[in-house]
Amino acid sequence: MPQQIELPQKGITDLNYANMQGRQQVFDVVLRMQPVVAGAPIQAGILAPGNYIGNTLGVDVRIDGLGWPVVTGPVTFSANAIVRGVVFNNTVALGAAAVAVFDGCVFLNTVTVANGGKGAWAGCRFDGTSSIQNAGNASKCVVAGGVHTSSTAHVNVTLPGGEAV
């Protein structure tokens, strides 16, 4: 249970009161942060630095990486996902019902998108032999502000404004 800050009964300014409220909110957030331990399968939550095992994620997830955690095994997203700051050095698959957003991630291998799946990649890198292989409509997969150093081209992907190479 978060510790409550007691406010004095008198003599406090509005600014001091607002500052105390802000500090309480930060304190509450920090108490709830429980990073996933390295070595475990990738799952929803905050990933601490280290290596993680691949996994199939069949429920809506939000994954935030701290210090560039690396997922070493294949990952399958079957539902909605928001993923930030994670390195994937194995395959990533989006199922037909998946809707995924990747922000600031690094891909070192193929990303496959089943027909019907949707994905958006913002500020991501595609290195090694990585590319997006979309079996569906190109309008369902969008890469914006990414860097593509891989020699393998994306298939059925929309690149608004291009992609740095």
Side-chain angles (χ1 to χ4, degrees):
M1 177 66 51
Q3 178 183 358
Q4 296 296 317
I5 298 174
E6 296 211 15
L7 300 175
Q9 295 299 318
K10 58 183 179 177
I12 187 167
T13 66
D14 288 343
L15 178 59
N16 284 340
Y17 180 76
N19 286 341
M20 291 172 79
Q21 281 185 317
R23 285 191 295 274
Q24 181 65 47
Q25 290 171 344
V26 169
F27 184 74
D28 290 346
V29 167
V30 169
L31 283 180
R32 286 192 300 268
M33 288 175 54
Q34 296 179 358
V36 178
V37 178
I42 185 175
Q43 58 186 319
I46 299 168
L47 301 184
N51 291 329
Y52 292 83
I53 301 167
N55 199 2
T56 297
L57 301 161
V59 297
D60 294 356
V61 294
R62 177 175 172 157
I63 300 168
D64 291 292
L66 297 175
W68 298 104
V70 177
V71 180
T72 59
V75 177
T76 301
F77 294 95
S78 300
N80 299 331
I82 298 174
V83 183
R84 292 190 167 104
V86 175
V87 177
F88 295 93
N89 73 0
N90 208 309
T91 58
V92 174
L94 302 183
V99 177
V101 175
F102 297 93
D103 180 22
C105 294
V106 178
F107 298 89
L108 302 173
N109 213 313
T110 304
V111 178
T112 58
V113 181
N115 190 9
K118 300 174 186 172
W121 291 262
C124 294
R125 286 180 49 160
F126 296 89
D127 294 336
T129 59
S130 66
S131 66
I132 299 170
Q133 303 297 308
N134 178 18
N137 187 315
S139 67
K140 306 296 182 185
C141 289
V142 178
V143 175
V147 176
H148 192 169
T149 63
S150 169
S151 59
T152 308
H154 297 312
V155 174
N156 292 339
V157 174
T158 300
L159 301 168
E163 183 178 50
V165 292

